Structures are given as C-alpha cells and as structure tokens.
Amino acid sequence: MQYDSHNKFATTTVFLHWLVGLTIIGLLATGIYMSENGVYALYPWHKAIGFIILFVALARVIWRMKNGWPIAAANYKPIEHKLASIVHWVLIIATLMMPISGLMASVLGGHGLSVFGLEVFAPNYSVDDPEKTLPINYELSKLGGAIHFYLGYTVIVALSLHIAGALKHHIIDKDGTLKRMLGKTISE
C-alpha cells in the first residue's frame, strides 16, 4: 500500500480528501438552500448522503492516523503552520461531527433515517396520530440541531481559509502543496 511522501500523496489520500471535501461542500450548500427555502423534499437525500459520508469521513480519519500528517511542501512561518493545523483539525473533526449532529437532530427528534429506501432508524410515530412523529429525546435532538447549524457555518469559514491557503501556496508561494493534492508528483 502506498503512503504519502514529501513528493507525492497516496491515491487514497487524494481520493478521500476530494470525496469528503466536495460532498461536505454539496451538503452545506443543500442544507442552506433547504433551510432558507423550506424545500423539505431534499431532506431525505441530504440525510442519506450525510449518513454515508460519515463512514467515508471515518475511513479518512483512520487513514490519516495510519498514514500520518503530511509533510509541508516548503518551509513556512510558524504562524502559517499553526493556522493550517487549526484549520485542518476543525475540518477533520467537523466532517465527523456534522453527520453525527444531523443524526442526533433527526433520529432523536423522532424523524428516523432512511438511506435511499433502506430504513436505518424508524420514525417514532404517535400512537394517537400516525401522521405525527414524536421526539425520542427532545433536548438532545435540539442540541444536535444547534451543533449542526453552528458547525455548518464554522465549516464554511474553515473551508474558505483552507481554499485560500491552497491558492496562496499555489499562486504566491508557487510550491507543490496544491499539486500534491491533485495527485501530482513534485520536486524537492
């Protein structure tokens, strides 16, 4: 199995980075659109993809632990290293906490979870009114919803910094940081 080197990132690293990153961006955009426009028809898709990406993000975390943190492509100021480290930790933790908090909000709110027709968690329907769902744990459901909401905006800020940093490395520093993440080999 290939691991990251200074000159080239492993195919697994590149694949997991882009799959998780682009999926999270799509889910953020969809989540904002749904909540601002009341488009409830997209919720099942949003929840199903969020549930699936939780396992991919978990695989990415395991891969990162096994593979180690990437070596910087060039020498940077200590403040840049610190900022990059903070942003990376926020993004890694958020890729796990966003789906977990969404699950908390939905499942503990009594809405259940179906992944493209496969019922993972059944809705908690009222005995008196089978059209109405009842929360399993109202407080934890609301906590999950609040974490999901605020963490979403935190991720948007962290992603913006992450993208700005990648562009800075590519355009201003002219180092190989972005090239490695695109699967290319860089020279030392």
Side-chain angles (χ1 to χ4, degrees):
M1 179 173 281
Q2 176 194 357
Y3 291 102
D4 294 345
S5 70
H6 179 271
N7 297 19
K8 183 170 175 53
F9 284 163
T11 304
T12 304
T13 300
V14 175
F15 175 75
L16 289 172
H17 173 269
W18 289 106
L19 179 61
V20 171
L22 293 175
T23 303
I24 293 290
I25 290 169
L27 288 170
L28 284 166
T30 305
I32 291 169
Y33 175 77
M34 288 184 317
S35 62
E36 288 185 359
N37 297 293
V39 182
Y40 301 110
L42 294 176
Y43 274 89
W45 284 80
H46 181 82
K47 293 192 303 185
I49 293 169
F51 182 72
I52 292 167
I53 205 65
L54 171 61
F55 296 99
V56 179
L58 187 57
R60 183 169 182 253
V61 168
I62 292 167
W63 172 253
R64 178 57 54 220
M65 289 168 49
K66 184 176 181 180
N67 189 36
W69 287 99
I71 300 166
N75 290 322
Y76 307 109
K77 297 175 186 168
I79 188 73
E80 288 179 286
H81 279 291
K82 190 64 165 171
L83 183 59
S85 179
I86 290 168
V87 169
H88 283 125
W89 275 107
V90 166
L91 290 173
I92 284 176
I93 292 168
T95 58
L96 296 172
M97 288 307 300
M98 284 297 290
I100 289 170
S101 61
L103 274 170
M104 284 175 63
S106 181
V107 174
L108 296 176
H111 303 290
L113 173 70
S114 179
V115 178
F116 303 117
L118 175 65
E119 188 174 79
V120 179
F121 296 101
N124 188 34
Y125 290 113
S126 168
V127 175
D128 298 329
D129 182 1
E131 296 290 317
K132 184 179 177 184
T133 56
L134 298 174
I136 294 169
N137 187 315
Y138 180 79
E139 290 79 18
L140 286 179
S141 171
K142 289 301 173 195
L143 175 63
I147 291 169
H148 200 68
F149 178 83
Y150 291 111
L151 190 55
Y153 287 102
T154 303
V155 171
I156 291 170
V157 171
L159 272 171
S160 299
L161 290 171
H162 185 64
I163 292 167
L167 292 174
K168 178 212 175 267
H169 285 299
H170 190 69
I171 296 167
I172 296 171
D173 299 336
K174 298 187 187 322
D175 63 26
T177 301
L178 184 57
K179 289 179 183 176
R180 287 191 311 186
M181 196 43 75
L182 292 171
K184 298 181 179 176
T185 303
I186 63 168
S187 58
E188 294 214 28

